Amino acid sequence: MTLIKSISGIRGTIGGRTGDTLNPLDIVKFTTAYATFIRRSGHSASNKIVVGRDARISGDMVRNVVCGTLMGMGYDVLDIGLATTPTTELAVRMSAADGGIIITASHNPRQWNALKLLNNEGEFLTKADGNEVLEIAAKEDFEYAEVDHMGHYTQDNSFNERHIQSVLGLKLVDLEAIRNAHFKVVADTINSVGGIILPALFKALGVEYTMLNGEPNGQFAHNPEPLEKNLGGIMSRVAEGGYDLGIVVDPDVDRLAFIQEDGKMYGEEYTLVTVADYVLDHTPGCTVSNLSSTRALRDVTEKHGCKYYAAAVGEVNVTTKMKEVGAVIGGEGNGGVIYPESHYGRDALVGIALFLSSLAQKGIKASELRKTFPAYQMAKNRIDLTPDTDVDAILVKVKEMYGHQDDVKVTDIDGVKLDFPNCWVHLRKSNTEPIIRVYSEAATAEEADALGKKLMQVVYDMQK
């Protein structure tokens, strides 16, 4: 059983002993710490906190504990029900709330859940703010509201529609072109909240759709991470013919992957690349992605005569860099599109609308669009950690091994990334799982995997 406490939130498996899992007592503690932080931050103008959740089977239990705790802290709760992560982020802004809690473990399997914490802008907490929440939780110096000052509870299920309307209102969403293209798509929403909001989005866009795993019951039909190895069902369905595109989201709908009309993966890394190319066609400016994302975004950005910047892994790190450099588009190679014209958060709905706009304006098939971008292949490996693993010492040794080589650029703002002339490899400790992620990219999948395995062996040799 696992409980992971990080700046990005509190994530754990359900059940088990307190302190080891995400159970009611720990949910109360961290929700209280968050509410205490919001109160101390001075952003309590409305005395309201938004709560939204994905369709995980533990969602009702966690939601009830969270809402009751917030009310006990004197906060009014705006419960928006089953809602995507980006919907909840937008709801914080739209309702002028002091913050928000998203109950979702994103791509993790069904036994997991998590509390994702938002500030009054509907954005994830900064590293400093997240650490403050963890410090408050560790001290457990809590003070709850007296009976006459407890918060009130309100439900509002209108935010899915408000989210869709905000997407339709974006200048670069070409509604006319999309409707005239008469797209036919099949979507896999992995038995979560995408099954509620995507059909409504498709109807608004004039897109004919078929749903796979569309019932939001939390009984995930397959591993929920939108990777090729988990998507055989939708790939086979598209390969049978009759569809222009397959669309895949994760349980909280902030990651987005596409299947080409021939049933092959478009490439999760190329979701952001394609949307960025479309945005840069219309609004030139700089771009940002994290260190573990494909080099193709840099190439496409420079093709447009613009500047690319890299950030540490983690949505808040990417958005912070985007604000710093004034990026017009950014995100993460895991299918996360962040478009500031909408909001500073990964949003699969925005990604779908912009991708379809590009496809419709160009009048070509998805497979043809994919061929217009630089061809890279990525390998994603992992090293499982033991309690005795000194990750920081390992990464320092890797940096020392390669730092003196003239043909290698070493970046250490997040783990260690080694940029070679025609490939790269990035090693970093995961924020959400007890592993070291080893991402590598080269011209072919075999070369990328070989590079990753080479660095993995270096790490294994260090532990002997």
Side-chain angles (χ1 to χ4, degrees), residues 14-234:
I14 297 296
R17 299 183 61 83
T18 58
D20 294 331
T21 63
L22 192 67
N23 57 74
L25 286 179
D26 285 309
I27 295 167
V28 169
K29 180 171 72 172
F30 289 107
T31 301
T32 303
Y34 168 72
T36 302
F37 162 77
I38 293 294
R39 188 81 70 194
R40 292 177 183 176
S41 70
H43 296 302
S44 295
S46 69
N47 202 54
K48 176 169 54 185
I49 292 178
V50 173
V51 176
R53 72 175 185 92
D54 70 12
R56 290 171 184 272
I57 56 179
S58 61
D60 270 336
M61 181 274 287
V62 179
R63 186 267 315 277
N64 289 338
V65 176
V66 167
C67 291
T69 301
L70 291 173
M71 293 167 65
M73 285 295 292
Y75 274 101
D76 294 334
V77 173
L78 178 60
D79 181 359
I80 66 170
L82 290 170
T84 74
T85 283
T87 304
T88 310
E89 292 169 346
L90 284 168
V92 172
R93 285 174 41 190
M94 291 175 175
S95 64
D98 299 331
I101 296 180
I102 310 167
I103 301 169
T104 175
S106 191
H107 63 273
N108 286 91
R110 65 196 290 274
Q111 68 268 30
W112 289 75
N113 215 325
L115 311 179
K116 293 186 177 182
L117 310 177
L118 304 176
N119 62 20
N120 64 316
E121 296 293 330
E123 299 169 13
F124 289 117
L125 301 185
T126 64
K127 181 177 181 179
D129 290 345
N131 283 332
E132 186 173 344
V133 172
L134 296 180
E135 290 171 4
I136 294 171
K139 293 178 181 177
E140 294 193 37
D141 183 18
F142 304 146
E143 183 175 351
Y144 293 93
E146 296 180 359
V147 66
D148 292 326
H149 300 286
M150 290 190 300
H152 299 91
Y153 176 82
T154 303
Q155 288 182 311
D156 187 341
N157 297 316
S158 69
F159 285 95
N160 283 336
E161 180 58 28
R162 293 168 72 175
H163 185 180
I164 291 170
Q165 290 304 314
S166 75
V167 172
L168 300 181
L170 295 172
K171 292 180 181 179
L172 293 189
V173 173
D174 193 337
L175 277 174
E176 183 178 4
I178 294 173
R179 288 168 175 166
N180 289 338
H182 301 293
F183 288 121
K184 186 176 181 181
V185 306
V186 56
D188 184 346
T189 55
I190 192 59
N191 306 106
S192 192
V193 290
I196 298 173
I197 198 167
L198 288 196
L201 175 68
F202 294 143
K203 290 177 183 177
L205 293 172
V207 172
E208 185 179 346
Y209 65 92
T210 298
M211 301 297 296
L212 294 181
N213 307 316
E215 184 180 358
N217 56 18
Q219 301 287 356
F220 302 153
H222 55 76
N223 186 305
E225 190 162 15
L227 303 177
E228 180 172 1
K229 63 182 180 180
N230 302 324
L231 302 178
I234 187 171

Side-chain angles (χ1 to χ4, degrees), residues 263-275:
K264 296 179 180 178
M265 286 291 294
Y266 187 85
E268 187 185 26
E269 290 287 329
Y270 283 81
T271 297
L272 174 59
V273 174
T274 303
V275 171

